[in-house]
């Protein structure tokens, strides 16, 4: 195996997967299953094209059963109502036919969504601008952009950068 340069970040491409699968076949099978689930999840969301507030995720596919999770009971009801359409879409993305839909409501899933960040205070923006002046240009620009969020959250004319 050729030496890996430590200065270049690892590639997000699936190229390491064959090496992992050869060394540990079980890990390779899990990675392949996860990749297929992700593709099926993406296709399901694209084809259904529901509003973003009707959130659900594909949790698993096992022995012909499609398992979906959602934080809201009304979304679970809608998923069950559209069972035949959902199974048809998911079957096209999966190698084997899917015959059953299992929908689970998981209220804790709602907590995973990150709420809008609280507005920055003017004092926080002032400290960020001071740090930006002392930092290198790249970091300074990021800090100035963060400070601008305080300007956007306050009524009235915003401060300059």
């Amino acid at each position: 195996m050729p030496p890996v340069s430590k200065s270049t970040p690892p590639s997000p491409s699936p190229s390491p997967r064959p090496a992992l699968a050869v060394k540990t076949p079980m890990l390779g099978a899990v990675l392949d299953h996860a990749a297929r689930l992700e593709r099926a999840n993406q296709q399901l969301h694209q084809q259904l094209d529901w509003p973003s507030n009707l959130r659900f995720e594909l949790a698993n596919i096992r022995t012909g059963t499609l398992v979906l999770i959602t934080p809201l009971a009304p979304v679970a009801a809608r998923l069950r109502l559209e069972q035949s359409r959902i199974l048809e879409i998911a079957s096209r993305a999966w190698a084997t036919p899917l015959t059953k839909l299992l929908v689970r409501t998981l209220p804790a899933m709602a907590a995973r969504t990150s709420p809008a960040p609280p507005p920055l205070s003017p004092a926080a923006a002032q400290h960020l601008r001071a740090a930006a002046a002392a930092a290198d240009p790249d970091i300074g620009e990021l800090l100035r952009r963060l400070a601008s969020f305080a300007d956007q959250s306050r009524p009235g004319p915003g401060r300059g950068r």
Side-chain angles (χ1 to χ4, degrees):
M1 183 176 227
V4 177
S5 170
K6 294 189 186 235
S7 63
T8 59
S11 170
S13 69
S15 59
R17 185 168 292 148
L20 286 172
V22 169
K23 292 180 182 177
T24 55
M26 292 298 287
L27 180 59
V30 169
L31 290 173
D32 289 340
H33 184 74
R36 288 194 317 266
L37 284 174
E38 181 59 32
R39 282 192 303 273
N41 187 43
Q42 288 175 355
Q43 187 167 359
L44 195 57
H45 279 89
Q46 287 173 356
Q47 300 257 337
L48 287 176
D49 194 30
W50 285 2
S52 61
N53 63 340
L54 299 179
R55 222 169 55 93
F56 69 93
E57 293 298 324
L58 192 155
N60 201 3
I61 296 177
R62 61 177 183 256
T63 61
T65 301
L66 174 68
V67 182
L68 300 177
I69 58 173
T70 181
L72 303 170
V75 176
R78 182 168 175 181
L79 289 166
R80 289 181 187 105
L81 282 173
E82 295 198 38
Q83 177 175 347
S84 59
R85 181 174 171 221
I86 290 170
L87 286 172
E88 178 187 329
I89 292 168
S91 290
R92 283 183 289 202
W94 202 251
T96 59
L98 302 173
T99 57
K100 184 178 176 186
L101 176 65
L102 183 62
V103 179
R104 295 285 184 217
T105 305
L106 187 63
M109 186 177 158
R112 282 191 232 158
T113 62
S114 58
L120 289 176
S121 68
Q126 182 180 3
H127 287 292
L128 286 169
R129 284 189 189 92
D136 68 64
D138 292 335
I139 300 292
E141 176 57 27
L142 291 173
L143 292 171
R144 280 188 289 281
R145 285 175 45 198
L146 280 173
S148 73
F149 288 120
D151 298 334
Q152 295 169 5
S153 64
R154 289 183 299 152
R159 291 184 184 170
R161 287 187 208 192

